[in-house]
Amino acid sequence: VAKCVFAIFNTASVKAEEPKWKEALTAYCIYLVLSPYDNEHDDMLHRLYTLEAKKLDKVPVYKNLVNIFMKKAIVNWPLADEAELKRHSVFQESPHEGADERWQLLKKRVVQHNIKVISEYYEQIHTKRLCELVGLGDKETEEELSELVCSKFVYARIDRPAGTIKFGKKQTYIDRLNGWSDSITKMLDLVENTSHLIQKEQMIHAARAKLKSKK
């Protein structure tokens, strides 16, 4: 849907009239943030924010909406501009039904964004704390996290008995071997440097001993 709306925005007849391109641009902003997370989605957000910067300045509420999903910061729900966003045709039953579903989808995307941000700052977090940060119950939080894990957008493991969640990609055998190899290399370097220092001290001590014997 977002791509279709963007194609409408890019037509010459729409760009020629400010009310038309504002309606198309703001609709594109909304449908874009409602889209599922993936690399293309992230690229489209950044291209929109960069290439259409001047036009976005004329619709600050929607510029802020796009910026929310680009920043690595937790977003509070409800949104600060909720009232104005809800007045947009995308969140109205006319011309397209399903306004409430689209609004709930926006909330879902905000929650998923928050989980992704948290996963980049935490290696491990208590489930209760994660629920507090995203503003959902245990079941809803686990569902959103599971969806992100299944889409490989977030790597996480849930330990229900311990009530904890570990973030980060599970290491493969190759990753572990590489880690051990690096550790062994560092240890050998340390041993070699230590040996040089010991030899240096021994040479200095031997030289001082010779000087004392001559005296």
Side-chain angles (χ1 to χ4, degrees):
V1 176
K3 289 180 180 179
C4 293
V5 175
F6 189 59
I8 293 171
F9 166 73
N10 271 326
T11 57
S13 60
V14 171
K15 283 198 169 184
E17 298 181 41
E18 186 169 305
K20 286 185 178 180
W21 68 250
K22 276 187 176 181
E23 177 65 23
L25 179 60
T26 53
Y28 175 58
C29 291
I30 294 171
Y31 281 118
L32 184 56
V33 299
L34 293 181
S35 304
Y37 288 121
D38 57 25
N39 291 332
E40 183 183 18
H41 173 268
D42 190 57
D43 181 59
M44 290 171 71
L45 278 173
H46 281 83
R47 278 191 285 131
L48 168 63
Y49 200 79
T50 304
L51 300 178
E52 303 297 341
K54 290 183 179 179
K55 285 185 169 62
L56 284 173
D57 285 338
K58 295 186 177 182
V59 285
V61 169
Y62 300 90
K63 180 180 181 179
N64 184 56
L65 179 65
V66 172
N67 192 36
I68 279 173
F69 288 88
M70 291 174 59
K71 292 190 301 183
K72 292 183 178 180
I74 292 176
V75 183
N76 293 323
W77 185 270
L79 300 175
D81 300 312
E82 177 176 320
E84 184 166 345
L85 288 170
K86 278 191 169 183
R87 286 196 292 268
H88 196 281
S89 60
V90 171
F91 297 116
Q92 301 294 319
E93 287 295 327
S94 177
H96 305 293
E97 294 181 355
D100 288 339
E101 289 82 356
R102 288 189 288 274
W103 186 256
Q104 289 306 311
L105 182 57
L106 177 59
K107 181 181 179 181
K108 178 186 182 74
R109 297 303 181 219
V110 169
V111 169
Q112 291 180 337
H113 166 79
N114 287 343
I115 292 174
K116 182 181 180 298
V117 170
I118 292 165
S119 73
E120 294 180 5
Y121 287 100
Y122 285 82
E123 290 184 359
Q124 180 172 308
I125 189 172
H126 286 286
T127 305
K128 184 179 179 182
R129 178 57 178 158
L130 180 61
C131 292
E132 290 174 355
L133 290 173
V134 300
L136 295 177
D138 288 356
K139 184 179 179 181
E140 293 87 353
T141 301
E142 187 173 323
E143 287 175 354
E144 297 299 343
L145 178 59
S146 298
E147 185 175 326
L148 289 172
V149 170
C150 289
S151 64
K152 296 183 179 180
F153 200 71
V154 166
Y155 294 95
R157 285 174 291 168
I158 302 173
D159 186 341
R160 288 195 185 93
T164 59
I165 297 166
K166 287 185 178 180
F167 292 109
K169 190 174 182 179
K170 187 178 180 180
Q171 283 191 325
T172 63
Y173 291 114
I174 294 174
D175 292 332
R176 290 179 182 176
L177 287 171
N178 287 336
W180 291 338
S181 176
D182 290 339
S183 297
I184 291 171
T185 301
K186 289 177 182 178
M187 183 182 70
L188 291 174
D189 288 341
L190 183 61
V191 170
E192 185 177 357
N193 289 334
T194 303
S195 297
H196 285 314
L197 290 172
I198 291 172
Q199 289 176 2
K200 184 179 179 181
E201 287 296 324
Q202 288 175 339
M203 290 172 65
I204 292 171
H205 182 73
R208 287 176 178 172
K210 286 182 180 180
L211 289 172
K212 285 182 179 179
S213 63
K214 287 180 180 180
K215 291 179 180 179

